[in-house]
Amino acid sequence: MKQKIMSGMRPTGKLHLGHYLGVIDNWVKLQEEYDCYFSVADWHALTTKYDKTENLKQDVAEVVMDWLACGIDPEKATIYVQSLVPETAELHIYLSMITPQNWVERDPTLKDMAKILKSKEGMASQINYGLLGYPVLMTADILTFNADLVPVGIDQVAHVELTRDIARRFNNVYNTNFFKEPQPKLNNCSLICGLDGNKMGKSFNNDIKISDSAEVTAKKIMTAITDRSRLRKDDLGHPDDCEVAFKYWKIFASNGEIETVRCECEKGARGCADCKRQLGAIINDKLSEIREKRKYYENNPQEVERIIREGSARARIEAQKVLSEVRSLVKMY
């Protein structure tokens, strides 16, 4: 029997290359070896944007279309929407009853989110009960399927540790060994910075979206920061000091192409503008098939809806098995 993997993303709208390289590309590989459950976490979106839900349904669809375009196969992995599996909400209630308050308060991501909200004028009131309960809801997401593994980056291992703590406490309180203590499965994926050298993000206006057209991508690449020490086209370059563009070359190009770029740059035989035009062409070539698939799903929204509904129904079947056992262990009526 395959081990189970559970992971998810908040519906933030159209995804960017950071999502693709850092998460989705890894999921595509994992679906070949594991029984995967991939959630669009719309309840989690409400923890900070409960008053901005006008585009929530479309944002969910955008995320799913990007997943499908990048290679997540609904025949191999279960794609579902969190709120269409209400068993997770009930499990969250049971887990919240046994979780000490200080366990939640020490969650590093929760602390970071609280600081961000407090720093924004008039936003302090948004540190709400739902946000405080976010770490337990995240645990419920994972334990809904009694997952064996959770794919994460090194900075997210603390999330899985909290899930392990809560699973262990449940087992101790109810004298059982029902819940597994899921292990983190570290991603070995390429990381990509934004066009300005900072973390890539929609809110920073420094991203390249998976769904961007070739023209938009080429235009964005021309804004990427290069070697700030070069003033003229024939100045000797320093590829390792190129803040963004050469990093992109190392992600998207072949070893031979990378060495050619390095050599020509160091000799002053390659201008930054020409270099970025070539880079844009390479990135567009790498993304062409993905974007073609995405266009198909954009033109067939009923198929996206079918995949969401069928995947969520499959997820509920597994979730009901877990919840039935939990209710029995807690001695619910």
Side-chain angles (χ1 to χ4, degrees):
M1 181 179 291
K2 290 182 177 180
Q3 287 185 302
K4 288 183 181 177
I5 275 182
M6 188 277 152
S7 193
M9 286 185 185
R10 292 186 181 210
T12 56
K14 294 178 178 179
L15 303 179
H16 55 64
L17 295 189
H19 296 116
Y20 172 56
L21 294 168
V23 180
I24 306 172
D25 192 43
N26 186 48
W27 287 2
V28 171
K29 298 180 181 75
L30 293 175
Q31 71 182 351
E32 302 296 334
E33 302 177 47
Y34 299 94
D35 184 10
C36 293
Y37 293 82
F38 297 137
S39 166
V40 185
D42 53 347
W43 280 328
H44 284 299
L46 298 181
T47 58
T48 54
K49 295 187 177 180
Y50 57 84
D51 58 341
K52 296 179 176 66
T53 60
E54 58 275 5
N55 297 319
L56 185 56
K57 286 185 177 179
Q58 183 59 36
D59 286 344
V60 169
E62 298 285 2
V63 169
V64 172
M65 284 191 285
D66 280 328
W67 288 0
L68 294 169
C70 291
I72 302 297
D73 186 342
E75 298 299 319
K76 296 178 180 178
T78 300
I79 296 172
Y80 73 98
V81 174
Q82 185 185 36
S83 65
L84 294 180
V85 184
E87 289 76 11
T88 298
E90 185 174 346
L91 178 58
H92 172 237
I93 292 175
Y94 301 134
L95 298 179
S96 70
M97 301 303 176
I98 64 162
T99 302
Q101 179 180 337
N102 65 327
W103 286 15
V104 173
E105 292 174 340
R106 77 189 186 202
D107 182 84
T109 300
L110 178 59
K111 289 180 180 179
D112 290 343
M113 292 170 71
K115 286 178 182 177
I116 291 170
L117 290 173
K118 283 184 176 180
S119 69
K120 295 180 180 179
E121 186 177 353
M123 297 288 282
S125 62
Q126 289 195 23
I127 301 174
N128 49 40
Y129 173 73
L131 179 56
L132 290 172
Y134 148 76
V136 184
L137 180 56
M138 176 205 65
T139 294
D141 290 325
I142 298 166
L143 297 186
T144 289
F145 305 102
N146 214 353
D148 299 279
L149 300 165
V150 183
V152 292
I154 189 67
D155 59 329
Q156 299 171 310
V157 170
H159 290 320
V160 185
E161 288 302 318
L162 177 61
T163 297
R164 288 166 54 79
D165 288 343
I166 294 175
R168 190 182 306 118
R169 181 167 171 79
F170 182 95
N171 288 344
N172 288 337
V173 168
Y174 296 109
N175 193 30
T176 181
N177 61 356
F178 175 66
F179 277 127
K180 300 169 186 174
E181 295 180 24
Q183 297 287 333
K185 185 171 179 58
L186 293 177
N187 293 344
N188 293 310
C189 299
S190 299
L191 297 178
I192 187 169
C193 62
L195 294 161
D196 58 0
N198 297 310
K199 181 179 179 181
M200 184 174 283
K202 179 180 178 181
S203 59
F204 304 138
N205 196 31
N206 67 354
D207 63 334
I208 298 173
K209 293 182 175 60
I210 295 168
S211 55
D212 279 344
S213 67
E215 292 74 21
V216 168
T217 299
K219 187 175 180 180
K220 285 184 175 181
I221 287 294
M222 295 305 293
T223 70
I225 296 174
T226 54
D227 179 358
R228 295 179 190 267
S229 69
R230 296 188 75 185
L231 301 179
R232 294 177 296 275
K233 180 178 179 179
D234 56 355
D235 284 347
L236 301 184
H238 309 88
D240 294 326
D241 293 331
C242 182
E243 296 183 34
V244 175
F246 192 63
K247 293 177 181 177
Y248 284 19
W249 275 102
K250 289 193 285 187
I251 291 172
F252 292 100
S254 67
N255 290 335
E257 289 169 327
I258 295 167
E259 284 309 305
T260 297
V261 171
R262 176 185 289 279
C263 183
E264 291 180 355
C265 179
E266 289 174 342
K267 292 179 178 178
R270 167 179 289 262
C272 292
D274 288 340
C275 185
K276 289 190 283 188
R277 275 190 281 271
Q278 291 178 22
L279 175 61
I282 285 177
I283 292 175
N284 279 327
D285 183 60
K286 295 286 186 183
L287 296 177
S288 62
E289 186 176 341
I290 290 173
R291 288 169 171 171
E292 187 176 339
K293 286 180 67 177
R294 198 185 197 282
K295 282 292 184 184
Y296 168 80
Y297 289 111
E298 289 171 4
N299 294 330
N300 293 276
Q302 72 284 352
E303 186 163 351
V304 177
E305 179 70 12
R306 177 187 62 79
I307 289 169
I308 288 172
R309 294 291 173 181
E310 290 182 358
S312 298
R314 288 202 306 273
R316 285 201 72 181
I317 291 172
E318 293 303 311
Q320 286 165 358
K321 295 176 185 176
V322 170
L323 186 62
S324 177
E325 183 63 21
V326 168
R327 289 180 63 89
S328 176
L329 289 167
V330 179
K331 305 296 191 295
M332 298 304 293
Y333 185 77

